[in-house]
């Protein structure tokens, strides 16, 4: 472990008694949290609050319980001196994976979980990128929760699922389905902060003709121009 991250990685060997205690204490929302963390690799405390809670105190309290039970584990990315501390970043723990697998009547292997693979995101060069993608969807969830049921995030698929479904046709960072006031929008998200050539980004967003897409990017104006040029 390099000094780049201060990670709390130690989790004891999972025992039947611990799994039984976890199963007795998990709520429906807890299962949804574990599923979301598993599917999207890593979520910060702030993102989990936006998606599943309202206030910070209940969020931190529940995440602390899930951490003590081994359902989640956490780390804090290093930040330069004077920049403050990063929020806790949460990944699925061994007990959480076992609980999810049992809940679905499958094995942990069939769930697609390996602890060393899950925790590797803490040292990945793609960590900031993944957090950026997840930030976008967390903000959508927060907006939907405030909309008094007028808006909903109906689907949020990670990059690997997009690749499995669309292969060489498109490789977006995520796919979503958004419903608001009776209207529905399917979209691909390509999260970029200006580090890739426009031609490369446009190539990643080639889409099947039967999919209605909305490209959401930070450099919106030039990307829209590139998309028009590509489609024309």
């Amino acid at each position: 472990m390099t000094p780049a991250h201060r990670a709390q990685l130690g989790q004891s060997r999972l025992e039947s008694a611990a799994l039984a205690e976890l199963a007795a204490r998990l709520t429906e929302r807890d299962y949804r949290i574990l599923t979301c963390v598993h599917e999207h690799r890593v979520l910060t405390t702030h993102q989990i609050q936006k998606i599943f809670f309202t206030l910070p105190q209940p969020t931190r309290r529940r995440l602390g319980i899930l951490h003590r039970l081994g359902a989640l584990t956490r780390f804090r990315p290093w930040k330069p001196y004077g920049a403050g501390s990063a929020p806790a970043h949460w990944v699925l723990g061994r007990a959480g994976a076992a609980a999810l697998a049992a809940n679905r009547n499958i094995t942990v292997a069939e769930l697609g979980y390996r602890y060393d693979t899950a925790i590797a995101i803490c040292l990945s060069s793609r960590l900031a990128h993944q957090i950026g993608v997840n930030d976008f969807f967390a903000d959508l969830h927060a907006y939907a929760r405030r909309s008094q049921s007028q808006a909903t995030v109906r689907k949020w698929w990670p990059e690997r699922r997009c690749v499995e479904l669309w292969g060489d046709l498109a490789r977006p960072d995520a796919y979503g389905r958004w419903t608001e006031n009776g209207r529905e929008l399917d979209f691909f998200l390509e999260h970029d902060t200006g580090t890739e050539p426009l031609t490369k980004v446009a190539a990643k967003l080639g889409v099947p003709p039967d999919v209605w897409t909305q490209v959401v990017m930070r450099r919106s104006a030039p990307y829209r121009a590139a998309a028009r040029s590509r489609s024309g």
Side-chain angles (χ1 to χ4, degrees):
M1 180 68 65
T2 71
H5 296 75
R6 299 191 303 276
Q8 299 180 10
L9 307 186
Q11 286 198 331
S12 59
R13 188 181 184 87
L14 183 63
E15 298 180 355
S16 298
L19 182 57
E21 180 187 1
L22 178 62
R25 298 184 64 178
L26 285 179
T27 66
E28 180 181 346
R29 180 172 61 184
D30 292 334
Y31 278 110
R32 288 190 283 117
I33 292 172
L34 299 181
T35 297
C36 194
V37 171
H38 175 52
E39 289 183 350
H40 302 292
R41 302 192 66 189
V42 57
L43 292 171
T44 67
T45 301
H46 303 323
Q47 290 168 349
I48 292 173
Q49 177 185 331
K50 289 178 180 179
I51 298 170
F52 298 105
F53 296 85
T54 302
L55 299 174
Q57 293 85 352
T59 307
R60 291 194 296 265
R61 182 165 55 248
R62 194 62 193 169
L63 290 176
I65 292 172
L66 293 176
H67 180 254
R68 289 193 295 274
L69 292 171
L72 294 174
T73 190
R74 67 191 177 196
F75 64 92
R76 290 182 183 271
W78 177 84
K79 296 186 71 173
Y81 178 77
S85 60
H89 288 49
W90 300 88
V91 299
L92 188 64
R94 291 189 180 96
L100 280 182
N103 184 255
R104 301 178 188 184
N105 295 312
I106 60 176
T107 66
V108 172
E110 290 171 330
L111 183 68
Y113 175 84
R114 285 176 52 104
Y115 180 73
D116 54 349
T117 301
I119 200 62
I121 188 66
C122 75
L123 294 175
S124 172
S125 60
R126 289 181 58 83
L127 173 61
H129 181 270
Q130 186 66 61
I131 292 299
V133 172
N134 295 351
D135 260 340
F136 175 83
F137 280 92
D139 287 340
L140 281 185
H141 275 90
Y143 175 89
R145 287 166 60 83
R146 296 192 301 267
S147 71
Q148 299 181 339
S149 301
Q150 297 300 308
T152 308
V153 181
R154 294 200 174 275
K155 291 185 180 179
W156 172 16
W157 293 351
E159 179 181 8
R160 63 179 178 275
R161 187 169 182 181
C162 294
V163 171
E164 290 172 359
L165 287 173
W166 292 295
D168 294 336
L169 293 175
R171 299 180 66 90
D173 292 323
Y175 158 77
R177 176 172 293 169
W178 173 258
T179 300
E180 186 171 8
N181 296 322
R183 297 184 177 184
E184 193 165 76
L185 172 69
D186 292 277
F187 64 91
F188 287 157
L189 172 67
E190 179 62 27
H191 176 77
D192 182 68
T193 55
T195 60
E196 291 185 325
L198 297 179
T199 52
K200 181 176 180 180
V201 175
K204 291 177 67 178
L205 291 171
V207 296
D210 59 334
V211 176
W212 181 24
T213 62
Q214 171 72 30
V215 180
V216 183
M217 286 173 267
R218 295 184 183 276
R219 294 184 290 166
S220 57
Y223 279 112
R224 287 197 297 269
R228 285 195 299 269
S229 175
R230 181 178 173 83
S231 60

Coordinates of all heavy atoms in Angstrom, one line a residue, residues 166-172 174-175 186-189 201-215 230-231:
W166 N -23.8 -3.6 -25.7 CA -23.7 -2.9 -27.0 C -22.3 -3.1 -27.7 O -22.1 -2.7 -28.8 CB -23.9 -1.4 -26.9 CG -25.4 -1.1 -26.5 CD1 -26.4 -1.3 -27.3 CD2 -25.9 -0.6 -25.3 NE1 -27.6 -1.0 -26.7 CE2 -27.3 -0.5 -25.5 CE3 -25.3 -0.1 -24.1 CZ2 -28.1 0.0 -24.5 CZ3 -26.1 0.3 -23.1 CH2 -27.5 0.4 -23.3
G167 N -21.4 -3.8 -27.0 CA -20.1 -4.1 -27.6 C -19.4 -3.0 -28.3 O -19.2 -2.0 -27.7
D168 N -19.1 -3.2 -29.6 CA -18.4 -2.2 -30.3 C -19.2 -1.0 -30.8 O -18.7 -0.1 -31.4 CB -17.7 -2.9 -31.5 CG -16.6 -3.9 -31.1 OD1 -16.1 -3.7 -30.0 OD2 -16.4 -4.8 -31.9
L169 N -20.5 -1.1 -30.6 CA -21.4 0.0 -31.1 C -21.2 1.3 -30.2 O -21.2 2.4 -30.8 CB -22.8 -0.4 -31.0 CG -23.2 -1.5 -32.0 CD1 -24.7 -2.0 -31.8 CD2 -23.0 -1.0 -33.5
A170 N -21.0 1.1 -29.0 CA -20.8 2.2 -28.1 C -20.1 1.8 -26.8 O -20.4 0.7 -26.3 CB -22.2 2.9 -27.7
R171 N -19.3 2.7 -26.2 CA -18.6 2.4 -25.0 C -18.8 3.6 -24.0 O -17.8 4.2 -23.6 CB -17.2 2.0 -25.2 CG -16.9 0.8 -26.1 CD -15.4 0.6 -26.3 NE -14.8 0.2 -25.0 CZ -14.7 -1.1 -24.6 NH1 -15.3 -2.1 -25.3 NH2 -14.1 -1.4 -23.5
P172 N -20.0 3.9 -23.7 CA -20.2 5.1 -22.8 C -19.8 4.7 -21.4 O -19.6 3.6 -21.0 CB -21.7 5.3 -22.9 CG -22.3 4.0 -23.1 CD -21.3 3.3 -24.0
A174 N -21.7 5.3 -18.9 CA -22.9 4.8 -18.2 C -24.1 5.0 -19.1 O -24.0 5.8 -20.1 CB -23.1 5.6 -16.9
Y175 N -25.1 4.3 -18.8 CA -26.4 4.5 -19.5 C -27.5 4.8 -18.5 O -27.5 4.2 -17.4 CB -26.8 3.2 -20.3 CG -28.3 3.1 -20.6 CD1 -28.8 3.8 -21.6 CD2 -29.1 2.2 -19.9 CE1 -30.2 3.7 -21.9 CE2 -30.4 2.1 -20.1 CZ -31.0 2.8 -21.2 OH -32.3 2.7 -21.4
D186 N -33.9 8.2 -22.6 CA -32.7 7.3 -22.5 C -31.5 8.0 -23.0 O -31.5 8.8 -23.9 CB -32.9 6.1 -23.4 CG -34.0 5.1 -23.0 OD1 -33.8 4.3 -22.1 OD2 -35.1 5.3 -23.5
F187 N -30.4 7.9 -22.2 CA -29.2 8.6 -22.6 C -27.9 7.8 -22.2 O -27.9 7.0 -21.4 CB -29.2 10.0 -21.9 CG -29.1 9.9 -20.3 CD1 -27.9 9.8 -19.7 CD2 -30.2 9.8 -19.6 CE1 -27.8 9.7 -18.3 CE2 -30.2 9.7 -18.2 CZ -29.0 9.7 -17.6
F188 N -26.9 8.1 -22.9 CA -25.5 7.7 -22.6 C -24.8 8.8 -21.9 O -25.0 10.0 -22.4 CB -24.7 7.3 -23.9 CG -25.2 6.0 -24.5 CD1 -24.9 5.7 -25.8 CD2 -25.8 5.0 -23.7 CE1 -25.3 4.5 -26.4 CE2 -26.2 3.8 -24.2 CZ -25.9 3.5 -25.6
L189 N -24.0 8.5 -21.0 CA -23.2 9.6 -20.3 C -21.7 9.3 -20.6 O -21.2 8.2 -20.4 CB -23.4 9.5 -18.8 CG -22.4 10.4 -18.0 CD1 -22.6 11.9 -18.3 CD2 -22.5 10.1 -16.5
V201 N -14.0 11.0 -28.2 CA -15.2 11.0 -27.4 C -16.4 10.7 -28.3 O -17.3 9.9 -28.0 CB -15.4 12.4 -26.7 CG1 -16.8 12.4 -26.0 CG2 -14.3 12.6 -25.7
A202 N -16.4 11.3 -29.5 CA -17.5 11.1 -30.4 C -17.5 9.6 -30.9 O -18.6 9.0 -31.0 CB -17.4 12.0 -31.6
A203 N -16.4 9.1 -31.1 CA -16.3 7.7 -31.5 C -16.8 6.7 -30.4 O -17.4 5.7 -30.7 CB -14.8 7.3 -31.8
K204 N -16.6 7.1 -29.1 CA -17.1 6.2 -28.1 C -18.6 6.2 -28.0 O -19.2 5.4 -27.4 CB -16.5 6.7 -26.7 CG -15.0 6.4 -26.6 CD -14.5 6.9 -25.3 CE -15.1 6.2 -24.1 NZ -14.5 6.7 -22.8
L205 N -19.2 7.3 -28.6 CA -20.7 7.4 -28.4 C -21.5 7.1 -29.7 O -22.6 7.5 -29.8 CB -21.0 8.9 -28.0 CG -20.6 9.2 -26.6 CD1 -20.7 10.7 -26.3 CD2 -21.3 8.4 -25.6
G206 N -20.9 6.3 -30.5 CA -21.7 5.7 -31.6 C -22.8 4.9 -31.1 O -22.5 4.1 -30.2
V207 N -24.0 5.1 -31.5 CA -25.1 4.4 -30.9 C -26.0 3.6 -31.9 O -26.1 4.0 -33.0 CB -26.0 5.4 -30.1 CG1 -25.3 6.1 -29.0 CG2 -26.6 6.4 -31.1
P208 N -26.7 2.6 -31.4 CA -27.7 1.9 -32.3 C -28.8 2.9 -32.7 O -29.2 3.8 -31.9 CB -28.3 0.8 -31.4 CG -27.3 0.7 -30.3 CD -26.6 2.0 -30.1
P209 N -29.4 2.8 -33.9 CA -30.4 3.8 -34.3 C -31.7 3.7 -33.5 O -32.4 4.7 -33.6 CB -30.6 3.3 -35.8 CG -30.2 1.9 -35.8 CD -29.1 1.8 -34.9
D210 N -31.9 2.6 -32.8 CA -33.2 2.6 -32.1 C -33.0 3.0 -30.6 O -34.0 2.9 -29.8 CB -33.7 1.1 -32.1 CG -32.7 0.2 -31.4 OD1 -31.5 0.5 -31.4 OD2 -33.2 -0.9 -30.9
V211 N -31.9 3.6 -30.3 CA -31.7 4.1 -28.9 C -31.7 5.7 -29.0 O -30.9 6.3 -29.7 CB -30.4 3.6 -28.3 CG1 -30.2 4.3 -27.0 CG2 -30.4 2.1 -28.2
W212 N -32.6 6.3 -28.2 CA -32.6 7.7 -28.1 C -31.6 8.2 -27.1 O -31.7 7.8 -25.9 CB -34.0 8.2 -27.8 CG -34.2 9.7 -27.6 CD1 -33.5 10.6 -28.2 CD2 -35.2 10.3 -26.9 NE1 -34.0 11.9 -27.9 CE2 -35.0 11.7 -27.1 CE3 -36.3 9.9 -26.1 CZ2 -35.9 12.7 -26.5 CZ3 -37.1 10.8 -25.5 CH2 -36.9 12.2 -25.7
T213 N -30.7 9.0 -27.5 CA -29.6 9.4 -26.5 C -29.5 10.9 -26.3 O -29.9 11.7 -27.2 CB -28.2 8.8 -27.0 OG1 -27.9 9.5 -28.3 CG2 -28.3 7.3 -27.2
Q214 N -29.0 11.2 -25.2 CA -28.7 12.6 -24.8 C -27.3 12.6 -24.3 O -27.0 11.9 -23.3 CB -29.6 13.1 -23.8 CG -29.2 14.5 -23.2 CD -29.5 15.6 -24.2 OE1 -30.3 15.5 -25.1 NE2 -28.6 16.6 -24.2
V215 N -26.4 13.2 -25.0 CA -25.0 13.3 -24.5 C -24.8 14.4 -23.5 O -25.1 15.5 -23.8 CB -24.0 13.5 -25.7 CG1 -22.6 13.6 -25.2 CG2 -24.2 12.4 -26.8
R230 N -20.6 14.5 -36.8 CA -20.5 13.1 -37.0 C -21.8 12.5 -37.6 O -21.8 11.6 -38.4 CB -20.3 12.4 -35.6 CG -20.2 10.9 -35.7 CD -19.9 10.4 -34.3 NE -19.9 8.9 -34.2 CZ -18.9 8.1 -34.5 NH1 -17.8 8.7 -34.9 NH2 -19.0 6.8 -34.5
S231 N -23.0 13.0 -37.2 CA -24.3 12.5 -37.6 C -24.6 13.1 -39.0 O -25.4 12.5 -39.8 CB -25.4 12.9 -36.7 OG -25.5 14.3 -36.6

